[in-house]
Amino acid sequence: MWIRPIPKAVSQQYPIITQSPLPYLRNSVKTTITKARLTAMEAAGSDSDGREFKNAQEMWREQVGDEGDDPKKIQWYREGVAYWEGVEASVDGVLGGFGQVNDADIKGSEAFLNSLLHERFGDGGRNQHLVALDCGSGIGRITKNLLIRYFNEVDLLEPVSHFLEAARESLSQEHFVASDVHKATNFYCVPLQEFTPEAGRYNVIWIQWCIGHLTDDDFISFFKRAKVGLKPGGFFILKENIARNGFVLDNEDRSITRSDLYFKDLFRQCGLHLYKMKDQKGLPEELFAVKMYALTTEVPKKVHKTRSKVQANRPGIIK
């Protein structure tokens, strides 16, 4: 899965919007009320050819059967990996032909990560040995351009072997200037749905443009396993394409683009708490909106803002 344009068959069903689905929803009171009554799993969706599904359950039953070891589910994952095995190991390749968004993507991710490190670790983690896991790392684009500058160690997880080999080569000491205290350590050629991290190893688990390949059940089981890999105070960052509502199934690379509500429903089922979220800015209009979510295993502490005594004693303005 990658940053991608909204399929033509899907864009024709709704007016074109930019980074946020809110303008469209505001134009339809009926849609807003209906969505408020529905859970994310009950919302309708479509595929990249414009075919509509009543809900996610209908789509998943057709695509992967009844989960378990259903042959259809095995085929779903095989076809997803096979798609990427035919893609060039380059920035343009892993970004689906939109290599020009790399700089904006990294800039947005860095601002989000930097704020989180200072909030969660006080000094930004400078006096700690920080370790990150880059899930769906591809050719190591995010590790090389971002994570390795903030973390002492970064492990890369990627199921497509020629992508991972490209990452290993580009991050090797011969090709990449990195100190002994900032390095790529482990390279795991394992799919997300089969990976279990080492207990208590990671401060941050970064998951970008890859979780759409997982079925809902495997999404939940992955995060439940991955929780064990977090150090105390550690957190997940999930950065993903966002459907305007419901979901969009990609018939080509075997992935699903979920709506914000869909994601939040899954977070709840994973036992995760939304600590912070932010929209990615600076992307072309024809692409799906992209959001960044910071997720914790503990309930975020509420920040209570207190007014000064002078402000507190002022009479309120009657409007």
Side-chain angles (χ1 to χ4, degrees):
M1 191 175 179
W2 32 277
I3 187 164
R4 67 178 74 206
I6 302 170
K8 290 182 180 179
V10 176
S11 63
Q12 289 170 357
Q13 298 175 27
Y14 308 103
I16 292 294
I17 59 172
T18 54
Q19 294 301 305
S20 172
L22 290 179
Y24 171 67
L25 294 182
R26 288 194 192 106
N27 290 334
S28 175
V29 175
K30 181 178 179 181
T31 300
T32 305
I33 294 173
T34 301
K35 286 185 68 61
R37 291 173 179 170
L38 296 177
T39 67
M41 302 305 174
E42 293 172 328
S46 62
D47 68 12
S48 50
D49 297 321
R51 179 191 168 190
E52 297 185 0
F53 296 93
K54 292 180 181 179
N55 51 47
Q57 292 94 326
E58 179 188 55
M59 182 276 293
W60 286 124
R61 278 195 301 271
E62 178 180 300
Q63 298 298 316
V64 301
D66 296 321
E67 296 276 0
D69 294 321
D70 193 298
K72 293 174 75 173
K73 180 180 177 182
I74 296 171
Q75 188 66 16
W76 164 275
Y77 285 120
R78 280 180 182 167
E79 290 178 358
V81 172
Y83 173 86
W84 289 107
E85 286 175 342
V87 172
E88 179 184 66
S90 65
V91 172
D92 204 50
V94 298
L95 290 179
F98 288 89
Q100 72 272 19
V101 308
N102 179 67
D103 290 347
D105 170 57
I106 295 298
K107 183 179 179 180
S109 294
E110 182 164 14
F112 192 60
L113 174 64
N114 202 12
S115 67
L116 289 164
L117 291 177
H118 280 85
E119 289 174 17
R120 301 287 291 178
F121 303 127
D123 60 354
R126 294 188 188 88
N127 296 319
Q128 299 182 47
H129 184 88
L130 298 181
V131 184
L133 174 65
D134 183 359
C135 296
S137 63
I139 61 172
R141 181 184 68 89
I142 299 166
T143 291
K144 185 174 183 177
N145 292 306
L146 175 62
L147 300 180
I148 208 163
R149 293 191 284 110
Y150 285 85
F151 296 88
N152 303 102
E153 295 182 69
V154 183
D155 291 345
L156 288 79
L157 176 66
E158 170 58 50
V160 179
S161 59
H162 77 287
F163 283 174
L164 197 62
E165 285 309 308
R168 190 193 301 272
E169 183 177 352
S170 69
L171 291 165
S172 66
Q173 294 296 329
E174 293 80 13
H175 295 84
F176 182 66
V177 179
S179 66
D180 290 336
V181 293
H182 290 275
K183 59 185 179 181
T185 304
N186 297 304
F187 297 80
Y188 300 112
C189 192
V190 182
L192 281 178
Q193 71 273 14
E194 297 177 14
F195 183 75
T196 301
E198 175 186 335
R201 174 163 171 76
Y202 302 109
N203 299 93
V204 172
I205 296 180
W206 189 284
I207 307 148
Q208 181 169 347
W209 289 330
C210 62
I211 203 72
H213 284 292
L214 296 194
T215 66
D216 290 349
D217 284 354
D218 284 341
F219 181 114
I220 295 166
S221 61
F222 165 73
F223 275 105
K224 286 185 175 180
R225 292 193 312 275
K227 286 180 191 178
V228 179
L230 291 175
K231 293 181 180 180
F235 55 94
F236 296 100
I237 292 180
L238 175 68
K239 186 170 185 176
E240 267 301 342
N241 299 325
I242 303 295
R244 294 168 189 161
N245 47 60
F247 59 89
V248 178
L249 167 68
D250 191 299
N251 291 320
E252 188 176 15
D253 72 358
R254 314 308 289 151
S255 69
I256 177 176
T257 300
R258 298 172 170 98
S259 68
D260 178 59
L261 288 176
Y262 199 146
F263 272 121
K264 288 174 179 175
D265 196 358
L266 288 176
F267 297 157
R268 179 186 56 78
Q269 294 183 61
C270 294
L272 294 173
H273 303 278
L274 183 58
Y275 179 81
K276 179 181 282 191
M277 59 184 270
K278 187 176 182 180
D279 293 328
Q280 170 67 48
K281 303 294 184 183
L283 301 182
E285 288 186 4
E286 67 267 24
L287 299 180
F288 275 112
V290 173
K291 283 185 181 290
M292 294 172 276
Y293 301 94
L295 305 164
T296 62
T297 57
E298 79 279 0
V299 179
K301 295 179 181 178
K302 292 183 179 180
V303 178
H304 298 283
K305 295 181 179 180
T306 56
R307 296 181 296 170
S308 67
K309 290 183 178 179
V310 174
Q311 290 176 319
N313 291 329
R314 285 178 181 171
I317 299 174
I318 300 174
K319 297 181 179 180

